[in-house]
């Protein structure tokens, strides 16, 4: 069975290991299946909903996100990589869908409510930010995606899209495809920050980035939160909540060696510096080659932007076809 998949990222900074664990690695796996048609969107319009007065933050990071995509192995000959703002049909679809959704329904969206609180918008929330679940519905349905990889916290956004699809198809004609969520395996959807607080986040400054040099990566690992009560090497240490072991569980391949280190740490006699050096080796083994590929692609930014232009042109053709079907179903394709 063939699948059409849509996913993407806001270009508000370079991508980090949390993105890699939560979605990037899975995208490369999906790309490897010839039955999958993969669309990956650099969501600059969505990023502008809360960065409208700082557009440089968004535009400057479009190239950075594209470099991260190419570095991890996304292949523009197999995957359509495009920039959201370059697909005008998405804005038009959003306008039509807004007429099918009440203000009350958007306000009840748990993800929207949480993010408005986190950003302290209050009554000053930008309208574009408030209605971005409807914009996401346009993104998804424009490409008739039947699968959308999301984290648990994004499920309400997809439910909003499903409701819009049902309403549109019932009101007009069966044109839109209902998407299903692709959730990460339990316990694998979120990587905590190196400080041990919550998830790895650009805004919290607690991330290790795919673009980080070997020296920067090493410094960040050496600053990782471990066990504050493990003061002396001979002291018994706590593994739970210790970010070094959390990361080793995610990235380490020698599970037997890691299990032995955990036992030794709990007994005492194993220092934090030693386990951190081991983690540096583990991370370098996986991300050193990614960094090297990124540096090669970065030597020719014009070629990367040309790739994004071609991908955007391909994506626009698909979105235009869907928009034409939508307008015909609504009875507003006046000149066809």
């Amino acid at each position: 069975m063939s699948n059409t998949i849509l996913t993407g990222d806001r270009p508000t900074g370079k991508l980090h290991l949390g993105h890699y664990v939560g979605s990037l690695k899975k995208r490369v796996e999906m790309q490897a299946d010839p039955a999958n048609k993969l669309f990956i969107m650099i969501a600059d319009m969505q990023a502008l909903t809360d960065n409208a007065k700082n557009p440089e933050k968004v535009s400057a990071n479009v190239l950075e996100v594209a470099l991260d995509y190419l570095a991890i192995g996304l292949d523009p000959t197999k995957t359509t990589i495009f920039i959201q703002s370059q697909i005008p049909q998405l804005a038009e679809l959003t306008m039509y869908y807004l007429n099918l959704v009440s203000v009350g329904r958007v306000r009840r969206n748990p993800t929207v409510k949480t993010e408005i609180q986190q950003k302290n918008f209050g009554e000053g929330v930008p309208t574009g930010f408030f209605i971005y679940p409807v914009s996401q519905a346009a993104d998804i349905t424009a490409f008739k995606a039947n699968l959308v990889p999301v984290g648990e916290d994004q499920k309400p956004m997809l439910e909003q899209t499903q409701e819009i699809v049902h309403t549109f198809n019932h009101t007009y004609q069966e044109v839109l495809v209902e998407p299903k969520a692709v959730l990460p395996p339990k316990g694998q959807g979120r990587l905590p920050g190196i400080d041990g607080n919550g998830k790895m986040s650009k805004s919290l400054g607690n991330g290790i980035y795919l673009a980080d040099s070997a020296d920067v990566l090493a410094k960040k690992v050496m600053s990782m939160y471990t066990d504050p009560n493990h003061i002396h090497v001979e002291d018994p240490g706590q593994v739970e909540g210790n970010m070094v072991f959390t990361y080793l569980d995610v990235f380490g391949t020698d599970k037997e060696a890691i299990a032995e280190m955990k036992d030794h740490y709990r007994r005492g006699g194993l220092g934090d510096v030693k386990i951190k050096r081991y983690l540096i080796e583990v991370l370098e083994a996986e991300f050193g080659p990614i960094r090297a590929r990124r540096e090669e692609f970065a030597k020719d930014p014009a070629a990367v932007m040309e790739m994004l232009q071609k991908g955007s042109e391909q994506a626009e053709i698909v979105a235009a076809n869907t928009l034409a079907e939508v307008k015909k179903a609504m009875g507003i394709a006046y000149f066809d």
Side-chain angles (χ1 to χ4, degrees):
M1 177 182 175
S2 61
N3 290 305
T4 300
I5 302 155
L6 178 86
T7 185
D9 301 279
R10 287 163 45 105
T12 53
K14 298 172 183 176
L15 303 182
H16 52 58
L17 269 56
H19 295 115
Y20 181 78
V21 170
S23 61
L24 298 178
K25 198 171 182 179
K26 182 65 177 177
R27 294 177 198 177
V28 177
E29 294 173 5
M30 289 177 165
Q31 177 183 261
D33 187 342
N36 290 334
K37 190 172 186 180
L38 189 58
F39 290 90
I40 298 182
M41 179 178 72
I42 299 180
D44 60 333
M45 289 172 65
Q46 190 183 123
L48 285 167
T49 61
D50 57 337
N51 289 285
K53 295 179 181 178
N54 186 17
E56 295 82 8
K57 177 182 177 181
V58 176
S59 59
N61 280 299
V62 167
L63 176 63
E64 299 296 340
V65 171
L67 288 171
D68 288 332
Y69 286 167
L70 295 172
I72 63 158
L74 290 173
D75 183 347
T77 67
K78 299 177 181 178
T79 295
T80 304
I81 304 172
F82 66 97
I83 303 173
Q84 184 184 27
S85 64
Q86 304 308 297
I87 317 300
Q89 293 80 6
L90 300 180
E92 188 171 348
L93 285 171
T94 300
M95 186 65 219
Y96 299 144
Y97 295 169
L98 281 169
N99 297 323
L100 304 176
V101 182
S102 70
V103 170
R105 175 63 185 91
V106 176
R107 187 178 285 120
R108 289 194 302 274
N109 187 305
T111 306
V112 173
K113 288 171 66 175
T114 299
E115 293 187 0
I116 287 175
Q117 291 170 355
Q118 288 174 343
K119 295 178 184 295
N120 296 315
F121 279 138
E123 289 299 314
V125 57
T127 307
F129 186 90
F130 181 71
I131 59 93
Y132 86 80
V134 183
S135 173
Q136 283 193 338
D139 300 332
I140 294 166
T141 58
F143 301 98
K144 298 193 174 180
N146 66 308
L147 297 179
V148 181
V150 293
E152 284 286 346
D153 59 339
Q154 290 294 310
K155 282 176 64 178
M157 311 300 279
L158 194 63
E159 290 166 0
Q160 187 103 69
T161 297
Q162 292 166 340
E163 289 177 18
I164 289 171
V165 168
H166 289 158
T167 303
F168 184 96
N169 288 345
H170 178 75
T171 304
Y172 305 111
Q173 294 177 19
E174 292 278 340
V175 169
L176 303 180
V177 173
E178 180 179 346
K180 293 183 179 179
V182 179
L183 297 169
K186 194 170 181 65
Q188 296 183 27
R190 177 172 291 185
L191 185 70
I194 59 174
D195 56 0
N197 292 322
K199 66 177 181 179
M200 188 174 288
S201 166
K202 288 178 268 191
S203 60
L204 293 175
N206 62 355
I208 296 175
Y209 293 85
L210 297 175
D212 282 346
S213 68
D215 287 345
V216 169
L217 182 148
K219 287 178 182 176
K220 288 183 176 181
V221 171
M222 295 306 289
S223 71
M224 264 188 174
Y225 179 84
T226 54
D227 175 4
N229 297 316
H230 187 246
I231 299 170
H232 305 291
V233 172
E234 62 270 17
D235 293 339
Q238 184 169 320
V239 169
E240 292 72 23
N242 185 319
M243 289 303 100
V244 178
F245 286 112
T246 299
Y247 279 55
L248 284 174
D249 284 340
V250 173
F251 297 106
T253 56
D254 192 339
K255 302 302 181 184
E256 186 176 334
I258 294 169
E260 290 176 359
M261 291 179 75
K262 288 180 178 179
D263 289 341
H264 193 175
Y265 194 79
R266 289 189 178 104
R267 293 194 310 269
L270 180 59
D272 289 334
V273 170
K274 188 168 183 177
I275 59 172
K276 287 178 176 179
R277 284 176 177 163
Y278 180 70
L279 176 59
I280 290 169
E281 292 177 7
V282 167
L283 294 179
E284 271 300 311
E286 182 151 1
F287 295 105
I290 291 174
R291 183 193 306 119
R293 287 195 295 271
R294 194 184 194 282
E295 290 170 353
E296 281 300 308
F297 285 116
K299 291 177 181 177
D300 193 352
V304 177
M305 294 307 294
E306 183 180 356
M307 176 274 293
L308 290 175
Q309 182 178 358
K310 289 180 179 178
S312 298
E313 290 169 354
Q314 294 166 1
E316 185 177 359
I317 292 170
V318 178
N321 288 336
T322 300
L323 178 61
E325 292 179 28
V326 163
K327 294 175 79 169
K328 184 177 180 180
M330 294 174 66
I332 57 173
Y334 302 116
F335 307 117
D336 287 352

